[in-house]
Amino acid sequence: MKSFLGCVAFVLAQAPLTAQDHVARDRHEMHRLHQDPKAYIAMLEDPKRDAYQKPHEVLTALKLKRGEVIADIGAGSGYFTFRLARHIGDKGRVYAVDISPEMIVHLNRRIRDFKLKNVVTILAAPDDPLLPEASINRFIICDTWHHVENRTHYLGLLRKMLKRGGEVVMIDFKKEKTPVGPPLEMRIDRGDLVREMEANGFRLAAEQTFLPYQYFLVFKLK
Ligand SMILES: C[S@@+](CC[C@H](N)C(=O)[O-])C[C@H]1O[C@@H](n2cnc3c(N)ncnc32)[C@H](O)[C@@H]1O
């Protein structure tokens, strides 16, 4: 529930261009979203998001290889999951990992409707993505890390789940005022994230700076 509320806050903060002026509208929106996860999914999938999320540029920067195995942690509606799946081909696999049963049902429906063979959903635990050891080439964690509790423990699991040479891609909102994104107090500062990763066996291997509101960091094992 905590993470769903966090996501609601993310969505609400995502809509300031329409809602920044009215607290009452925010409350109304929050109530509606509490009652209706589909509305939340629709907002995550809002085509207007592409303008700042730049999914095509993100996927190009990742230089995905056909056949690789990716885990999209906090897959949500599948905004990145399904784009990733198109790039890695039928021999690859995307694990769409989420703790929200509503998101998993939504993802499963899309997988069935689009007859996808390379996407597998995982209804995970908040402190464990429940993936096999040494199975993942790349973790993609977009707008989700700030929801994860006990992150030291979680990073220990990610280390075990990575294949040799694998990486963890973190995309999240800069801790500064931006027109979209979660409340500042929920955000993780870029420097703090780098320090957290370094303290847990990772090193910053690459960084992309083309996203206007988010940092985009790539970590590998030390
Ligand atoms: C803001 S949404 C981001 C969704 C997606 N990554 C995107 O960029 O559109 C965060 C998602 O993370 C999920 N989530 C929160 N805590 C999680 C955890 N500990 N493990 C896996 N998923 C989590 C939520 O249920 C939600 O679907």
Side-chain angles (χ1 to χ4, degrees), residues 3 7 10 40 44 49 72-76 79-80 97-100 103 125-126 142-144 147-148 154:
S3 97
C7 288
F10 166 80
Y40 166 55
L44 275 181
R49 178 179 176 191
D72 184 5
I73 303 289
Y79 181 89
F80 275 116
V97 177
D98 209 289
I99 57 167
S100 156
M103 293 301 181
C142 180
D143 301 342
T144 297
H147 293 301
V148 175
Y154 206 92

Side-chain angles (χ1 to χ4, degrees), residues 173-176 178 180-189:
F173 282 91
K174 297 173 187 172
K175 201 172 175 73
E176 62 189 39
T178 54
V180 294
L184 270 186
E185 62 273 17
M186 286 177 62
R187 302 184 189 197
I188 300 170
D189 174 68

Side-chain angles (χ1 to χ4, degrees), residues 44-45 49 71-82 94-99 103-104 106-107 119-122 140-142 144:
L44 275 181
E45 290 290 319
R49 178 179 176 191
D72 184 5
I73 303 289
S77 59
Y79 181 89
F80 275 116
T81 300
F82 297 110
V94 182
Y95 288 106
V97 177
D98 209 289
I99 57 167
M103 293 301 181
I104 296 295
H106 171 79
L107 291 161
V119 181
V120 174
T121 54
I122 306 277
I140 310 276
I141 309 181
C142 180
T144 297

